[in-house]
Amino acid sequence: MRLRNKPWAVKLVGEHPESVLDRPDPASKIDWSKRFTDISRPLEIEVGSGKGRFITTLAEQHPEKNFVAVELQITAAGIILRTKLEKKLDNLQILCADAANLDSFFSPHSAETIYLNFSDPWPKSRHEKRRLTYKTFLAKYQAILAQHGHLEFKTDNAGLYAYSVLSMNNFGMHFDFVSIDLHHENEEIVTRNIETEYEHKFAAKGNPIYALHADFGVK
C-alpha cells in the first residue's frame, strides 16, 4: 500500500545521508564497511520494510548483527529512519531503492538472511514477474545469500503463498519451516515471531498468517 507523502519524512531523509541511501545508482557499488560501525557482524536484509516495525525491532533485539531495510517509498524510509534515530540503532541502514536492483547493492554471498514480509501479491498473471518470489528475484537472493543463508517469507495472501511455495520448489530450494497458520504454531515459534504492521492488523481480524523458511542448499 502506497503511503501518502509526508514532507517531514522527505526532509528527515535528506538530513541523514549517513543512515539512508536514497535511490543510489545501481551501477555504483555500496561500501557497507563505511556505513556500519562494525562490518564484521552478520548481515540481514528485509526487502520491502514498510513502516519498519519488523526490521527496527529485530535490530534492537540483535545488536550483534547488521541490518538493511530496503524500501522504495521515501515516506516509508523516513518513518523507519525516525524510529532508528529514536532507538539509536547504529546497526541499521536504510536503502531506498527498487528491489529489482538488489543484487547490484550487495556483494555476492554477503548476507545471512533475507526477509520478505507481506510483499505485494501482484495477483494478475501478467504481473507475475513483479512478485518478489518470482524466479528472477530468487536468483538475486541466491547470489546475495551466504552458503548457509536462508530466506524467510510471511504473507496473509493464500494465493501468493501457494505461488511462492511452488516457485521456490521449482527453483530447487529446501524448506526448513512451513506454516499455514503461524500464530497458532507452538509457543516457542509464536513467542519468537516479530509482527509487521500488516501482520498485526490482519491477525487481529482472525486472518491466518502464512510463513516459510527456505534455503538454496550448498552453493
Side-chain angles (χ1 to χ4, degrees):
M1 182 181 295
R2 179 164 293 278
L3 299 172
R4 183 177 299 176
N5 284 337
K6 298 182 183 296
W8 68 261
V10 177
K11 181 175 182 292
L12 187 65
V13 166
E15 293 171 346
H16 291 276
E18 78 288 350
S19 294
V20 184
L21 282 154
D22 186 6
R23 287 158 288 196
D25 182 352
S28 302
K29 288 293 183 181
I30 298 170
D31 186 353
W32 293 105
S33 67
K34 294 180 179 178
R35 304 196 67 86
F36 287 109
T37 57
D38 184 355
I39 195 60
S40 67
R41 300 168 183 158
L43 176 65
E44 300 193 348
I45 303 164
E46 184 185 24
V47 182
S49 296
K51 295 180 181 179
R53 173 174 176 169
F54 176 87
I55 196 71
T56 56
T57 302
L58 202 59
E60 187 174 29
Q61 291 182 356
H62 294 280
E64 77 283 3
K65 295 182 179 182
N66 288 331
F67 298 89
V68 176
V70 181
E71 175 53 53
L72 181 60
Q73 295 186 60
I74 191 70
T75 295
I79 294 171
I80 299 169
L81 174 59
R82 182 173 61 182
T83 305
K84 166 186 162 64
L85 296 174
E86 289 173 352
K87 294 186 175 183
K88 298 181 173 59
L89 301 173
D90 69 353
N91 62 334
L92 173 63
Q93 284 284 312
I94 302 158
L95 174 59
C96 193
D98 192 330
N101 299 315
L102 196 68
D103 52 340
S104 299
F105 301 126
F106 297 94
S107 300
H109 313 315
S110 60
E112 183 179 82
T113 308
I114 292 176
Y115 300 95
L116 304 177
N117 292 319
F118 297 84
S119 310
D120 192 326
W122 294 106
K124 295 181 180 179
S125 58
R126 69 175 183 270
H127 293 152
E128 178 187 9
K129 293 182 180 180
R130 299 183 186 183
R131 297 171 193 161
L132 293 185
T133 51
Y134 183 65
K135 61 184 179 181
T136 55
F137 282 102
L138 296 180
K140 294 177 188 295
Y141 309 146
Q142 183 180 37
I144 294 168
L145 285 169
Q147 180 170 328
H148 299 292
H150 64 284
L151 182 70
E152 297 193 9
F153 171 80
K154 289 195 290 186
T155 184
D156 69 305
N157 189 293
L160 178 62
Y161 187 72
Y163 171 86
S164 300
V165 170
L166 182 61
S167 180
M168 292 179 194
N169 183 68
N170 289 343
F171 202 83
M173 296 179 69
H174 308 139
F175 297 96
D176 305 314
F177 171 76
V178 293
S179 176
I180 58 171
D181 196 357
L182 179 63
H183 287 208
H184 290 90
E185 293 288 346
N186 66 59
E187 184 178 356
E188 180 184 355
I189 291 174
V190 173
T191 301
R192 192 170 63 242
N193 178 55
I194 298 172
E195 290 187 352
T196 73
E197 292 90 356
Y198 283 127
E199 181 176 358
H200 181 76
K201 174 183 175 181
F202 296 136
K205 294 180 178 179
N207 297 358
I209 303 301
Y210 306 92
L212 64 82
H213 300 174
D215 65 62
F216 293 90
V218 178
K219 298 178 177 68

